[in-house]
Amino acid sequence: MQSVTDSLTVRDNRTGAEYEIPITDGTIKAADLGQIKLNDDTPGLATYDPGFVNTASCRSSVTYIDGEAGILEYRGYPIEQLAEKSNFLEVAYLLVHGDLPSKEQYDNWVHHITYHTFVHENVKAFMQGFRYDAHPMGMLMASVGALSTFYPEAANISDPDNRQIQIIRMIAKMPTLGAWAFRHAQGKPYVYPDNDLSYAENFMSMLFKMSEVKYDPDPRIAKALDTLFILHADHEQNCSTNAVRSVGSSQVDPYSAVSAGIGALFGPLHGGANEAVLKMLRRIGSKSEIPAFIEGVKAGNERLMGFGHRVYKNYDPRAKIIKKACDDVFEVTGVNPLLEVAQELEKIALEDEYFVKRKLYPNVDFYSGLIYEALEFPPEMFTVLFAIGRTPGWLAQWLELVQDKEQKIARPKQIYTGERKLDFVPAAERWA
Ligand code: CMC
């Protein structure tokens, strides 16, 4: 990417002083504003940016997004090509290593990830200790965090070989932990990994196998799941990735950092929108109710869930691919009756001035919930599926963070709004 070096002249109207601030890659360094002071006794100027709406927190070569054009690329490769021609483990290699693997590298990578799918028996024991109705995301977050106690050497984050083995372990074990959290809620026995199967097939076996000697996954469903993992594998500095980077900046082990990412993804503003789409479609119920629903959205009564995006001001490229995966899944499971409502809703919204003017298009969550429901996942599992897919992205970003000399411990400033210099009165006197 071309780097443009220029400068910004800032005039402080409080003092009349002028400052020359360098511009690099379309940004100024917030620290450069620190020289702008009212006088020597006051702190320098800072920026105020809740939610990092206009602040770059890192340099990254993992994922490129052009929201206006609807472009998403991992390491420079368009998501459409990866979803069609690659597979999740190859994409995971690409994200983590920065390049596509040779045949030998790929075979090695797949072998190691397959080999590390088992977890220590004590992990199973403590997962069984969760309440019968424990949310699978809470179980996943806790178990991934707990893995740091099984691999204490993971704390040595400056050793490249050590980092690699923890990355392999995490990508390998995430489906095992996710599937066991799913079985737990159903009161079913946990199923051990089957290392003869592919990544997605093995996940299906651990989710659905009962008394049969070997689970026989439908390849079309396995392919759809693999594609969904690819689509979720990274999305640059989103809330959970930022959480991984922020916690990782303290130089803690990667299990603790990823566990923080899972916590962030658990939130309804991040991982939970596809569930909201399903609820909305169910409430609308039939095509004839759509016009009245759209009028309500336009009147500001509610939002059309699964539409709009902070970054994409065009069709979310992932939504297009998911729409196609819907066809493949419904061929096996039968069509989800809500699909008709969703397609009609999309058609009407895309022709309506309200949505056109605001550049509101379907996002990744508009169709993904329909697929997950057709696969008989309860809504609480939707975010677990997202987490499994996002793991290589979190780890690629973590790896980039720990090797980036410009990074420091994440420690934002604040604008203090509280009291100062109060005199403390002991409780006995206050309550007398
Ligand atoms: N339905 C109706 N109106 C909307 C919608 C919507 N889904 N989204 C935005 N708008 C309107 C909004 O009311 C505002 O209108 P006005 O200018 O008249 O006030 C305008 O569009 C701009 O909206 P905004 O809230 O300023 O946009 P934002 O970038 O802060 O919000 C969003 C992005 C995703 C939170 C929002 O579009 C939304 O709430 N969508 C529905 C929830 C959803 O589908 N979330 C999943 C996001 S994709 C998951 C991921 O990538 O992690």
Side-chain angles (χ1 to χ4, degrees), residues 273 303-310 318 354 358 360 363 365:
R303 289 204 160 187
L304 170 49
M305 299 309 286
F307 258 66
H309 198 277
R310 170 64 61 78
R318 301 169 300 173
Y354 175 95
R358 290 171 179 77
L360 301 171
N363 60 49
D365 288 321

Side-chain angles (χ1 to χ4, degrees), residues 191-263:
V191 178
Y192 286 104
D194 179 343
N195 290 348
D196 291 341
L197 299 175
S198 73
Y199 192 81
E201 288 171 342
N202 170 47
F203 181 48
M204 287 169 68
S205 168
M206 292 187 290
L207 289 166
F208 304 125
K209 183 172 180 291
M210 288 308 290
S211 60
E212 62 270 45
V213 176
K214 199 164 179 72
Y215 183 76
D216 184 19
D218 188 305
R220 292 165 297 180
I221 303 278
K223 170 82 182 102
L225 265 181
D226 196 81
T227 305
L228 282 157
F229 289 153
I230 294 176
L231 298 185
H232 287 96
D234 197 53
H235 214 225
E236 51 122 296
Q237 305 312 312
N238 56 88
C239 178
S240 56
T241 300
N242 183 56
V244 171
R245 278 182 172 267
S246 184
V247 171
S249 77
S250 72
Q251 301 193 348
V252 73
D253 70 89
Y255 298 100
S256 304
V258 167
S259 172
I262 297 173

Side-chain angles (χ1 to χ4, degrees), residues 5-183:
T5 305
D6 221 324
S7 76
L8 175 78
T9 303
V10 178
R11 182 185 148 84
D12 185 345
N13 291 327
R14 300 170 302 178
T15 60
E18 282 200 358
Y19 304 84
E20 198 78 358
I21 312 270
I23 297 177
T24 312
D25 295 321
T27 63
I28 57 164
K29 283 202 170 126
D32 284 346
L33 298 176
Q35 61 185 301
I36 305 176
K37 293 183 175 179
L38 205 48
N39 56 55
D40 286 346
D41 300 329
T42 54
L45 199 67
T47 56
Y48 177 55
D49 189 7
F52 298 113
V53 177
N54 193 28
T55 297
S57 62
C58 61
R59 293 173 182 280
S60 179
S61 62
V62 181
T63 288
Y64 174 77
I65 300 179
D66 179 341
E68 289 295 328
I71 291 172
L72 169 62
E73 294 168 358
Y74 298 158
R75 301 285 189 187
Y77 293 98
I79 189 70
E80 293 82 359
Q81 292 185 21
L82 294 172
E84 192 193 330
K85 299 178 187 162
S86 185
N87 64 59
F88 179 63
L89 286 190
E90 189 180 38
V91 168
Y93 185 98
L94 172 69
L95 286 167
V96 168
H97 292 275
D99 234 327
L100 288 169
S102 65
K103 165 103 178 76
E104 195 191 344
Q105 288 166 331
Y106 177 76
D107 289 345
N108 244 318
W109 175 250
V110 173
H111 169 78
H112 283 303
I113 289 183
T114 309
Y115 179 82
H116 284 280
T117 47
F118 278 73
V119 294
H120 193 289
E121 277 295 290
N122 289 0
V123 172
K124 184 176 157 197
F126 80 69
M127 285 186 85
Q128 282 169 329
F130 277 95
R131 250 178 72 134
Y132 67 96
D133 59 352
H135 196 293
M137 271 301 265
M139 290 181 70
L140 187 69
M141 176 167 49
S143 343
V144 170
L147 288 182
S148 73
T149 67
F150 290 86
Y151 307 107
E153 73 278 12
N156 182 8
I157 62 163
S158 54
D159 173 5
D161 292 341
N162 185 34
R163 290 194 299 246
Q164 271 310 310
I165 182 63
Q166 311 312 335
I167 287 174
I168 284 169
R169 281 186 176 133
M170 228 176 307
I171 296 174
K173 294 181 199 311
M174 203 62 88
T176 312
L177 300 174
W180 286 6
F182 171 78
R183 302 283 291 204

Side-chain angles (χ1 to χ4, degrees), residues 232 235 238-239 265 268-274 276-277 293 297-298 300 302-313 316 318 354-355 357-366 386 390:
H232 287 96
H235 214 225
N238 56 88
C239 178
L265 189 66
L269 291 189
H270 192 4
N274 46 16
V277 173
F293 170 79
V297 170
K298 285 159 67 175
E302 62 182 305
R303 289 204 160 187
L304 170 49
M305 299 309 286
F307 258 66
H309 198 277
R310 170 64 61 78
V311 178
Y312 295 117
K313 300 302 168 197
D316 179 339
R318 301 169 300 173
Y354 175 95
F355 298 93
K357 204 172 109 201
R358 290 171 179 77
K359 300 187 177 172
L360 301 171
Y361 292 86
N363 60 49
V364 69
D365 288 321
F366 193 67
F386 192 153
R390 183 56 54 89

